[in-house]
Amino acid sequence: MRKTDDIIDSLVGELKPVPRHALARRFVAGVLPALAVSLVLMLAILGLRIDMAEALMLPVFWIKSAYNALLAIAAFLAAYHLARPDGSRGRFFQVAAAIVAIMTVVAVSQLMMSPAETYRSLIIGSSALHCPLLIFLFALPVLVGNVWVLRRGAPTDLRLTGFIAGIAAGAAGAWVYSWFCTENGMPFVLIWYSLGILLTGILGSLLGPRLLRW
C-alpha cells in the first residue's frame, strides 16, 4: 500500500494548478491572430468592396455582418465550453436555429417587398458559385486556430466539438468575406453564406476525432 501511495505522490507531486482563465486566454491567442490572417488574405486576394462608403449606410450590409458575427460568437462560446471534459454544447443549436430563423424572416420579407423580376438577383446574385468556396477558404485559418486551442483542452465529444469549431470558423470566414461581397440580397446570404459555414462545420466534424483526441 505504501508503494502505491509513493507512486501516486510521484505522479502528482509536480502538478501545478492551471490558471483560472487559461483556456479563455488560449482562445484569444489562437483565434484573434487566425482571424487577422483571414482578413489579410481577403484584402490581398479580393480587397474591400468597391462601394464600401455607400455600403456602410445600407441596413442590409449590417444585417449580413450581424448574421455571421452572431453565429460565430454563439459557436465560439459553445466550443469554449466543449473544450472542458465536463463541458456541453449548452443551447448552441437553439441559439443558432433562432439566428437562422430571424434571418429567414428578413430574407422572406425582402422578397415580399421586391418586384418578381428581382428575385433571381436576390437569391442567386452574381457570385453564388464561388461565394461558399471563398467563405470556406477564409475560414480555414480560423479553423486551424480553433484546432490549436482545442488540442490544449480536453474535449470528450470530439465530433461535435469539431463541428461547432468548424461552424465558428465558417461564420468568422463569412464575416470576413462580407466586407468584400457586394450582394445585398438577404436570401442570397441565407442560402450561400450558410452553405459556406456548413461546409466548414462538416470539415470540422471530420477532423475532430482525428485531431482533438487526447
Side-chain angles (χ1 to χ4, degrees):
M1 184 65 181
R2 182 59 184 171
K3 289 183 177 180
T4 302
D5 291 340
D6 290 340
I7 293 172
I8 294 174
D9 290 341
S10 67
L11 290 174
V12 302
E14 297 183 1
L15 291 180
K16 297 179 181 179
V18 176
R20 184 176 181 181
H21 300 294
L23 183 59
R25 286 197 290 269
R26 286 196 194 108
F27 264 96
V28 171
V31 171
L32 290 186
L35 185 59
V37 170
S38 292
L39 283 167
V40 170
L41 277 176
M42 184 274 292
L43 292 172
I45 297 173
L46 303 174
L48 294 175
R49 57 185 293 173
I50 56 176
D51 61 341
M52 181 56 71
E54 293 82 3
L56 293 175
M57 305 300 294
L58 298 175
V60 290
F61 173 83
W62 293 108
I63 293 171
K64 175 167 56 174
S65 181
Y67 174 63
N68 300 310
L70 290 173
L71 279 177
I73 291 169
F76 278 123
L77 288 174
Y80 171 79
H81 290 292
L82 284 167
R84 304 175 184 275
D86 59 345
S88 71
R89 68 193 184 197
R91 296 181 178 273
F92 167 72
F93 287 106
Q94 294 94 320
V95 172
I99 295 170
V100 173
I102 292 171
M103 190 63 185
T104 301
V105 171
V106 172
V108 172
S109 298
Q110 188 184 38
L111 283 175
M112 291 177 64
M113 293 186 295
S114 302
E117 58 268 22
T118 65
Y119 285 3
R120 179 178 175 82
S121 175
L122 292 173
I123 297 172
I124 305 297
S126 61
S127 58
L129 292 179
H130 59 258
C131 168
L133 297 179
L134 286 171
I135 287 173
F136 183 82
L137 170 66
F138 297 132
L140 290 179
V142 184
L143 181 59
V144 171
N146 283 346
V147 169
W148 178 82
V149 173
L150 292 169
R151 280 177 63 86
R152 285 156 178 77
T156 53
D157 192 333
L158 304 183
R159 191 171 298 279
L160 175 64
T161 303
F163 176 74
I164 292 179
I167 293 294
W175 178 83
V176 168
Y177 176 71
S178 72
W179 291 86
F180 158 80
C181 178
T182 58
E183 305 288 357
N184 291 322
M186 296 298 96
F188 179 96
V189 174
L190 177 66
I191 296 170
W192 305 106
Y193 273 57
S194 300
L195 178 58
I197 294 169
L198 184 59
L199 287 174
T200 318
I202 292 171
L203 176 62
S205 71
L206 296 175
L207 295 177
R210 294 168 174 79
L211 299 182
L212 303 182
R213 187 179 291 112
W214 53 282

